[in-house]
Amino acid sequence: HVRLVESGGGSVQAGGSLKLSCAFSGYTYSYTCMTWFREALGEPREGVATISADGGATLYFDSVKGRATISRDNAKKMLYLQMNSLKPEDTAMYYCATRRSCDRGSWRSPSEHEFWGQGTQVTVSS
């Protein structure tokens, strides 16, 4: 049974930084591509960043490029999202999720992901 647990969210002022973490338990983590999503109040869930199984390839949503870094530690079964220069529009619940396939489908589509954590709230004040 796969379980994902996010942590690291909080309230920060604009320009601040946060590092989100996602702890994975279950099947072989090192074979699984992972994605961070976020969902703001009243908005659809959107993909923020994705990373390949070995960590060698990453993709980012345009709005966070240059401000976010996704990384993973396969030995610890951990996924991370470092967010810098935070803006009020980054305010959202952030989720980690496992991709159904590393080779097919859109990484930004929630339906292409199978297992989800419970989320961690990020609030950025101006």
Side-chain angles (χ1 to χ4, degrees), residues 21-125:
S21 299
C22 170
F24 176 101
S25 60
Y27 60 83
T28 308
Y29 177 66
S30 59
Y31 295 157
T32 306
C33 294
M34 301 290 295
T35 303
W36 281 101
F37 282 81
R38 66 186 180 187
E39 186 172 339
L41 199 62
E43 298 293 327
R45 192 168 295 191
E46 62 181 12
V48 176
T50 193
I51 189 166
S52 62
D54 65 359
T58 57
L59 292 169
Y60 297 90
F61 182 41
D62 284 350
S63 69
V64 303
K65 277 182 182 177
R67 300 188 299 119
T69 302
I70 187 171
S71 61
R72 63 192 296 163
D73 184 332
N74 284 352
K76 296 181 178 179
K77 294 189 176 182
M78 294 294 295
L79 177 72
Y80 305 102
L81 183 69
Q82 175 72 46
M83 295 282 292
N84 300 322
S85 302
L86 283 161
K87 305 175 181 181
E89 50 264 44
D90 294 318
T91 295
M93 186 73 81
Y94 284 72
Y95 302 89
C96 60
T98 62
R99 287 184 66 179
R100 297 182 187 276
S101 169
C102 293
D103 302 320
R104 296 185 300 273
S106 169
W107 70 267
R108 299 204 64 229
S109 173
S111 65
E112 297 294 338
H113 294 75
E114 186 171 12
F115 297 103
W116 296 80
Q118 83 291 345
T120 186
Q121 178 68 37
V122 172
T123 302
V124 185
S125 58

